[in-house]
Amino acid sequence: MSPAVTPPARAVTPAEQAGPASAAAPAQRDPFFDNAKYLAIVLVALGHAWEPLSHSSRAAMALYMTVYTFHMPAFILISGYFSRGFDLSPAKLKRLLTGVVVPYLVFEVAYTYFQHWAEPDAAPEPVSLLNPWYLNWFLAALFVWRLTTPIWKLIRMPVPVAFVVAVLAAVSPEIGGDFDLQRVLQFLPFFVIGLHLRREHFDLVRRRWVRVAAVPVFAAAVAVAYWLAPTLDTGWFYRNSAVQDLHEPVWTAPVMTLALFLCSAVLTAGFLAWVPRRAAWFTSLGAGTLYGYLLHGFLIKLSRWWEWYDAAAWIRQPAGEVAVTLIAIVVMTALCTAPVRRVFRCVMEPRMEWAFRAPSATGKPR
């Protein structure tokens, strides 16, 4: 799952955009969050790269399930954290439009016509602004979450309320696919929790005992995933279906919502515990995770449509699985680099001063 989804400390990466364009960047970037965003976006790439392998390899399925348990919750949590200052002021709304809405529109069209070109024998999918195409669901979700941020900052007990909303969504198959609302609502608690976190909360997971405990916890998670792989429906991890669509009784909605949340929270804490606090060679790449998130979708789709995984038998063997893993890391890393950001900044972080009214002396648009 495993995804959301970036300029300085404005989680628009699958971490603020997730990421994976958002709030105004502070004077000094925090290496910890840039490191976390880069490592998280690599996990997104790995999850997508492992998915075809999971059909023929139980080990790949175990890794896939483990990553999908926490990688999108981690993105969304960080997105919420960087959305704490969002309000309905003109400056913040402008940022929302240029950093979320514009990339959504551009990639909704780009993904659709890319499908027309890459799958000439398939029925061409229409451009649909209400039905997010593939990875675009995260931008649609971020748009909805950001707009509702003032509500979650206003009401009492926002986190319990968000959980109630998530459970109600899980028992409401009639929600439909507009803006991928099932995902928007079922992932909502992670965003709301992020809104109410402070920097010292992230420091709690940096304690030595947490870092040490994270090792057996992840080992146990992979082992449990390996055990459950043949029987557990991976649809639970995507959170884009009601329990009725998964052919499960209604009572499983609150049970699985809570169970998945606890697993996601523990693994997210373990992941953050091992994120370096100091600048590393990949720290600067944390500013480009939105680019990597949206652009790698073209390659992922090509790999399915053009059947790259069936090009040779060795690809589905251990050596091939290692090769796929390394390729995914390299490609995602390259897509987050400065040259790629310079080329695509015009559509992912456009300034668009021409589209907005100049602010008056009071700061409101004229």
Side-chain angles (χ1 to χ4, degrees):
M1 348 302 255
S2 1
V5 179
T6 352
R10 37 163 124 139
V12 180
T13 68
E16 225 236 32
Q17 252 182 343
S22 67
Q28 182 66 41
R29 296 187 68 105
D30 188 333
F32 170 77
F33 289 108
D34 277 336
N35 292 338
K37 288 188 284 187
Y38 166 74
L39 295 174
I41 203 65
V42 167
L43 290 176
V44 168
L46 292 178
H48 290 153
W50 289 337
E51 193 273 336
L53 302 174
S54 68
H55 304 307
S56 56
S57 169
R58 189 167 176 177
M61 174 60 84
L63 293 173
Y64 175 78
M65 290 169 60
T66 302
V67 164
Y68 264 75
T69 301
F70 75 94
H71 74 327
M72 284 314 301
F75 281 153
I76 296 165
L77 188 79
I78 296 175
S79 295
Y81 176 76
F82 281 106
S83 298
R84 292 169 302 155
F86 183 84
D87 53 33
L88 298 180
S89 66
K92 299 296 174 60
L93 289 175
K94 175 184 175 182
R95 201 63 185 136
L96 183 67
L97 292 173
T98 59
V100 177
V101 175
V102 170
Y104 175 85
L105 296 175
V106 169
F107 278 85
E108 194 68 15
V109 174
Y111 281 144
T112 301
Y113 282 97
F114 180 73
Q115 183 264 339
H116 295 179
W117 169 78
E119 280 196 304
D121 298 329
E125 298 184 15
V127 174
S128 173
L129 298 183
L130 295 181
N131 186 20
W133 205 97
Y134 195 36
L135 301 179
N136 243 7
W137 78 265
F138 187 81
L139 293 185
L142 192 59
F143 177 74
V144 174
W145 293 331
R146 283 265 171 80
L147 282 182
T148 60
T149 290
I151 297 175
W152 302 112
K153 292 163 62 178
L154 174 66
I155 65 173
R156 294 181 178 179
M157 299 187 295
V159 175
V161 172
F163 270 104
V164 170
V165 171
V167 172
L168 291 176
V171 296
S172 304
E174 68 280 2
I175 284 178
D178 288 355
F179 282 102
D180 220 337
L181 277 180
Q182 274 291 354
R183 275 179 169 152
V184 173
L185 299 179
Q186 291 194 43
F187 276 123
L188 176 63
F190 297 100
F191 183 82
V192 175
I193 291 172
L195 281 176
H196 294 85
L197 291 179
R198 297 188 299 274
R199 184 61 175 83
E200 52 265 34
H201 292 134
F202 290 94
D203 291 335
L204 292 176
V205 300
R206 299 299 308 174
R207 297 177 179 179
R208 179 175 176 80
W209 72 266
V210 180
R211 300 183 67 189
V212 172
V215 177
V217 165
F218 269 97
V222 174
V224 171
Y226 187 87
W227 173 56
L228 293 175
T231 57
L232 184 63
D233 189 338
T234 55
W236 287 110
F237 300 102
Y238 308 143
R239 292 177 172 86
N240 61 352
S241 302
V243 293
Q244 294 92 331
D245 299 322
L246 297 174
H247 309 292
E248 299 291 347
V250 172
W251 64 263
T252 60
V255 173
M256 288 300 291
T257 297
L258 179 59
L260 284 174
F261 169 76
L262 292 175
C263 293
S264 300
V266 170
L267 293 181
T268 297
F271 165 72
L272 294 175
W274 280 97
V275 171
R277 282 178 288 182
R278 299 178 179 177
W281 65 266
F282 54 80
T283 300
S284 62
L285 301 177
T289 49
L290 174 64
Y291 296 77
Y293 175 71
L294 292 175
L295 293 173
H296 92 287
F298 295 103
L299 295 176
I300 293 298
K301 282 300 183 182
L302 273 186
S303 72
R304 280 31 166 197
W305 294 334
W306 293 4
E307 301 178 344
W308 292 353
Y309 286 81
D310 297 322
W314 66 270
I315 295 176
R316 294 184 180 274
Q317 296 174 356
E321 294 172 356
V322 172
V324 167
T325 299
L326 295 176
I327 291 172
I329 294 173
V330 171
V331 169
M332 181 56 81
T333 299
L335 292 177
C336 293
T337 57
V340 173
R341 299 204 299 272
R342 282 195 294 270
V343 171
F344 291 97
R345 183 168 287 123
C346 60
V347 295
M348 293 198 193
E349 299 178 73
R351 297 185 61 85
M352 295 182 61
E353 299 296 338
W354 55 269
F356 302 99
R357 296 179 180 178
S360 64
T362 61
K364 297 181 179 180
R366 292 181 179 137

